[in-house]
Amino acid sequence: MFKDIIAHMKKFISLTEAEEELLISYLTVKEVKKKEQLLRAGEICQENYFIIKGLFRLYLITSKGAEQVIQFGIEGWWITEYHSYKSGMPSGFYLQAVENATVIAINRNTQEELFGKLPQLERYFRFVLEKAYAAQLMRIHYIFNLTGEEQYRMMVEKYPAFVQRIPQYMLASFLGITPEFLSMLRAKK
Amino acid sequence: MFKDIIAHMKKFISLTEAEEELLISYLTVKEVKKKEQLLRAGEICQENYFIIKGLFRLYLITSKGAEQVIQFGIEGWWITEYHSYKSGMPSGFYLQAVENATVIAINRNTQEELFGKLPQLERYFRFVLEKAYAAQLMRIHYIFNLTGEEQYRMMVEKYPAFVQRIPQYMLASFLGITPEFLSMLRAKK
């Protein structure tokens, strides 16, 4: 279980065996059932999750009562609601497992202590955040510059297996189109 | 000039005088004229900028030929096009000074060397990126959940001085509304 996260970290930083053990003592493994919420709007986001297995979505309920998917996360990605996680303010988002999943959690209350003991984690998370931030900028680019259909075609081309895993109504929400329109696009293919 | 960036860093990390001098030897000060481009689409983004004075916008030209503002940056913020900066691939964005400005640049080719010598910068940029990433998630939240008018009202309330500085057509582009509609909103106030 921990070998996946350690392998991911070792792409960017070095860890001795003793350091690996120290790290593991700060981590919690969680099995998460499909549809289970790791965070609900109104709660303070307490953890940052490395996804070992499964698919997650970060979403919100709009003022019109609709679910709006902001972000998906799959194996090998970290997912949290950073605004609440950092500030300690209640979140406006939900974080839900779309499939049965396994995650490894770091807690916001012990993270700084852990980083104090293993400062190379600063470097690791700097890399993780640079990648995540760049991805969000590209997403804003796509929202403004591509139609829902164009975004769908691009996702199918770049991430075919990923697109297959996402329930149709969630993918439609992520793309800002109706499930009916997405269904038509899929049929056209 | 360098005292601003060092003061910003010292909110998060410690630096000895010798370390400050080492840091400064890796930094470049740039005076940037209003409308000057620090990056054009098709170029590789070479630098990450800390804004000492002035206002910048990261934007793209849509397939319909319109300018779409993705992000603004003001004093005390870092701004770059991380996707290109990290990957070394040509950028799809433009980074332009909206006012006469002063920035301090870190170069992508020497950044890792600098971080190797001053590992506490990893921690500093981890904080900077967490904040920037959280802001981008909130922006995606607003794009989907608020109308252009609601986003405008919120910006006026939260950042009144900032809104005053931004040319009307750029603010309209950022909000995804027409300059005419924004002009009407401003008159209504």
Side-chain angles (χ1 to χ4, degrees), chain A residues 10 15-22:
Chain A
K10 284 186 156 177
L15 290 167
T16 65
E17 254 182 66
E19 287 171 335
E20 288 179 16
E21 274 177 40
L22 177 67

Side-chain angles (χ1 to χ4, degrees), chain A residues 136-152 154 175, chain B residues 41 59-70 91-94 139 143-144 173-174 176:
Chain A
Q136 290 312 313
L137 278 189
M138 290 311 286
R139 173 136 161 73
I140 293 176
H141 175 145
Y142 296 140
I143 290 172
F144 282 119
N145 200 29
L146 300 182
T147 64
E149 174 165 359
E150 287 165 340
Q151 285 184 62
Y152 172 70
M154 190 193 61
L175 296 173
Chain B
Y59 70 97
L60 57 91
I61 309 283
T62 70
S63 47
K64 288 171 187 156
E67 289 178 3
Q68 174 61 54
V69 178
I70 302 295
S91 178
F93 297 83
Y94 297 79
R139 172 135 161 74
I143 289 171
F144 281 120
S173 166
F174 182 75

Side-chain angles (χ1 to χ4, degrees), chain A residues 91-184:
Chain A
S91 178
F93 296 84
Y94 298 78
L95 178 57
Q96 186 188 42
V98 177
E99 304 169 350
N100 289 333
T102 310
V103 296
I104 293 179
I106 287 188
N107 192 286
R108 69 189 293 274
N109 298 312
T110 54
Q111 176 183 302
E112 291 308 308
E113 185 183 303
L114 170 62
F115 283 28
K117 289 182 181 170
L118 295 178
Q120 60 269 59
L121 291 182
E122 302 284 4
R123 179 174 176 80
Y124 170 70
F125 277 98
R126 198 252 302 170
F127 276 104
V128 165
L129 281 156
E130 281 179 344
K131 198 173 158 190
Y133 182 66
Q136 290 312 313
L137 278 189
M138 290 311 286
R139 173 136 161 73
I140 293 176
H141 175 145
Y142 296 140
I143 290 172
F144 282 119
N145 200 29
L146 300 182
T147 64
E149 174 165 359
E150 287 165 340
Q151 285 184 62
Y152 172 70
R153 303 264 173 240
M154 190 193 61
M155 285 186 74
V156 167
E157 204 185 299
K158 282 175 110 171
Y159 316 105
F162 178 54
V163 168
Q164 283 305 317
R165 282 168 73 175
I166 306 174
Q168 191 136 317
Y169 83 96
M170 287 185 200
L171 183 58
S173 166
F174 182 76
L175 296 173
I177 60 181
T178 64
E180 293 73 21
F181 186 58
L182 178 58
S183 173
M184 210 187 70

